[in-house]
Amino acid sequence: MVFVAVLAVVLAVALPFLFGSDDKAGSPAAGSDPGVAHVHGLGVDPKDGTLYAATHHGVFRIPASGTATRIADRYQDTMGFTVVGPRHFLGSGHPDLREDKPSRLGLIESTDGGETWQSLSLEGRADFHVLAAAHGRVYGFDAASSQFMVSTDRRSWESRGLTPLVDFAVSPTEADTILATLQDGLARSTDGGRSFAIVTGTPPLVFLAWPAADLVYGVTVTGAVMASSDGGATWEQRGSLDGRPEALIADGSQIVHAATESGIYTSTDGGRTFRLRYRG
């Protein structure tokens, strides 16, 4: 009970920051560009290894060091974000105020590295805050309805259940096995997101990455980087991050990228140590 109480407190603090509002992002006044602020998601292009950050104020290319580049001078609030293939992204969120679009973008797609985006489905209806593409499916959490949803064609969707969550990760080997961070703790689904059961005795994780069959990474609201070698049943701490976490991905079993309120970091030793690659 103590663990659940602690988790409820930290998520109560984190949820407003993580989920943001349902408004259009807009564009800042002249001379007040916020840059890479409030990162919603990270992704790696498999063609060249470029790291991308989807933020409240646009999508950025993040170099190994140096200046981040805003793509196409667009300030779209890209909430959900995942890389599907070379220069191929899926996203969701809210448009730049300079665009005449509904406040909820539904599922959108870019096939040119974020230069342009096209609507695929649920425009004006869904606001996916988490997206994942695996096993020929797209999995999404729609913050507008708190529904966990799955699509096999990116145009029609099945609502699997009312499941308010912060983040989720899909098993790379089992299409119906999903881990999610809920207010009550880490939860597992073995039926494709139709139901979730709490995994007892786990740390208060907020973000997840699942790069290999049994290897899962997670980070707590205080920045402790955790790893599980048994598919999320048990965890050990590997390292720590500076600042409150905002996003986490793994590029293979050893490379981990993380965003916090202080910057974007990369680990090449399985989350044990991190180097700063961009200061926010």
Side-chain angles (χ1 to χ4, degrees), residues 122 125-126 128 130-132 138-142 145-151 156-161 168 192-193:
L122 300 179
R125 296 168 56 193
F128 292 109
V130 191
L131 287 167
V138 177
Y139 306 75
F141 170 67
D142 174 27
S145 63
S146 292
Q147 293 282 335
F148 188 85
M149 305 173 71
V150 177
S151 175
S156 59
W157 292 82
E158 178 187 354
S159 295
R160 295 285 176 88
F168 70 82

Side-chain angles (χ1 to χ4, degrees), residues 177-246:
T177 299
I178 301 158
L179 291 174
T181 52
L182 312 181
Q183 182 170 337
D184 293 330
L186 183 70
R188 182 189 305 275
S189 173
T190 58
D191 57 8
R194 295 175 178 85
S195 64
F196 285 86
I198 296 297
V199 182
T200 60
T202 57
L205 301 169
V206 284
F207 295 110
L208 300 166
W210 201 339
D214 295 319
L215 177 63
V216 189
Y217 290 106
V219 62
T220 71
V221 73
T222 58
V225 178
M226 313 295 293
S228 172
S229 59
D230 55 12
T234 62
W235 297 81
E236 64 172 356
Q237 184 169 351
R238 290 278 182 90
S240 61
L241 294 166
D242 178 20
R244 183 169 53 184
E246 296 179 345

Side-chain angles (χ1 to χ4, degrees), residues 36 61-69 275-280:
V36 182
R61 297 184 190 92
I62 308 297
S65 61
T67 304
T69 303
R275 67 172 179 84
L276 178 68
R277 63 188 296 161
Y278 180 82
R279 174 66 71 183

Side-chain angles (χ1 to χ4, degrees), residues 6-16 18 166 182-185 205-206:
V6 171
L7 183 61
V9 170
V10 297
L11 288 184
V13 173
L15 282 171
L18 298 173
V166 178
L182 312 181
Q183 182 170 337
D184 293 330
L205 301 169
V206 284

Side-chain angles (χ1 to χ4, degrees), residues 1-57:
M1 293 299 294
V2 173
F3 166 76
V4 172
V6 171
L7 183 61
V9 170
V10 297
L11 288 184
V13 173
L15 282 171
F17 176 76
L18 298 173
F19 280 86
S21 70
D22 194 34
D23 298 328
K24 294 183 179 182
S27 54
S32 63
D33 190 335
V36 182
H38 197 165
V39 177
H40 297 308
L42 297 168
V44 176
D45 190 319
K47 181 177 180 180
D48 57 12
T50 298
L51 178 66
Y52 290 87
T55 81
H56 192 67
H57 304 285

